[in-house]
């Protein structure tokens, strides 16, 4: 069985869609509801590094205290941004997916397909109705 970890927020449609695509490949991932069980600082730093992104690229603005905390200030260091994410896990964008093929912030949700080392087992449409996988299990490109 393929070992995939998804840092998931069940309230987020993008996160739910990514999880559903993992399931559509017949894989049961390890689901971490990171708002209930936030990653340690060392793990968060490792995930950011392995994803090849900056802490700023992982920051979520919508529905978070981003503006109130002044996190748009370009003078803030990576360490300060990670401090804010540790204090307010809602600032960590989602879904962050870890697989044997890499680590990626899966926005849009179909980015997860690059991390799933198994074929999709059938058609898949996102919650908004957008077809992502056709009946033959192939990615729909538009």
């Amino acid at each position: 069985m393929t070992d995939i970890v998804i840092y998931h927020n069940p309230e987020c449609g993008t996160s739910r869609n990514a999880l559903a695509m993992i399931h559509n490949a017949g894989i049961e991932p390890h689901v971490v509801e990171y708002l209930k069980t936030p990653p340690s600082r060392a793990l968060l730093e490792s995930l950011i590094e392995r994803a090849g992104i900056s802490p700023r690229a992982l920051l979520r603005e919508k529905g978070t205290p981003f503006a109130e905390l002044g996190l748009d200030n370009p003078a803030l260091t990576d360490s300060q941004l990670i401090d804010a994410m540790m204090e307010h896990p809602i600032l960590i964008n989602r879904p962050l997916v870890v697989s044997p093929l890499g680590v990626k912030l899966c926005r849009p949700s179909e980015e997860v397909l690059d991390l799933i080392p198994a074929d999709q087992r059938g058609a898949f449409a996102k919650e908004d109705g957008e077809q992502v996988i056709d009946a033959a299990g192939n990615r729909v490109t538009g």
Side-chain angles (χ1 to χ4, degrees):
M1 182 54 64
T2 300
D3 194 18
I4 293 181
V5 177
I6 180 170
Y7 291 88
H8 177 64
N9 178 349
E11 301 299 315
C12 172
T14 302
S15 196
R16 289 191 305 269
N17 284 323
L19 178 58
M21 282 182 261
I22 295 168
H23 285 147
N24 197 46
I27 296 169
E28 187 55 49
H30 178 71
V31 177
V32 177
E33 288 190 34
Y34 70 94
L35 295 178
K36 293 180 181 176
T37 311
S40 68
R41 183 183 187 94
L43 177 57
L44 183 61
E45 289 172 342
S46 172
L47 291 169
I48 290 167
E49 182 179 330
R50 291 171 61 201
I53 60 176
S54 67
R56 187 167 296 284
L58 188 60
L59 272 177
R60 180 169 177 82
E61 295 181 36
K62 183 179 170 188
T64 74
F66 179 90
E68 300 89 88
L69 295 172
L71 297 176
D72 57 345
N73 181 346
L76 292 174
T77 65
D78 286 352
S79 183
Q80 289 170 311
L81 297 176
I82 292 171
D83 288 344
M85 287 186 259
M86 295 306 302
E87 189 169 334
H88 305 278
I90 192 72
L91 289 165
I92 301 170
N93 215 338
R94 72 268 179 164
L96 199 55
V97 178
V98 180
S99 93
L101 300 177
V103 177
K104 191 178 232 186
L105 174 61
C106 295
R107 300 191 71 82
S109 57
E110 54 269 29
E111 291 286 319
V112 76
L113 295 171
D114 297 335
L115 296 177
I116 301 173
D119 294 332
Q120 294 287 295
R121 293 184 169 182
F124 179 82
K126 296 197 290 189
E127 290 179 2
D128 66 5
E130 180 186 347
Q131 194 72 29
V132 178
I133 304 295
D134 66 19
N138 299 310
R139 191 171 186 165
V140 174
T141 56

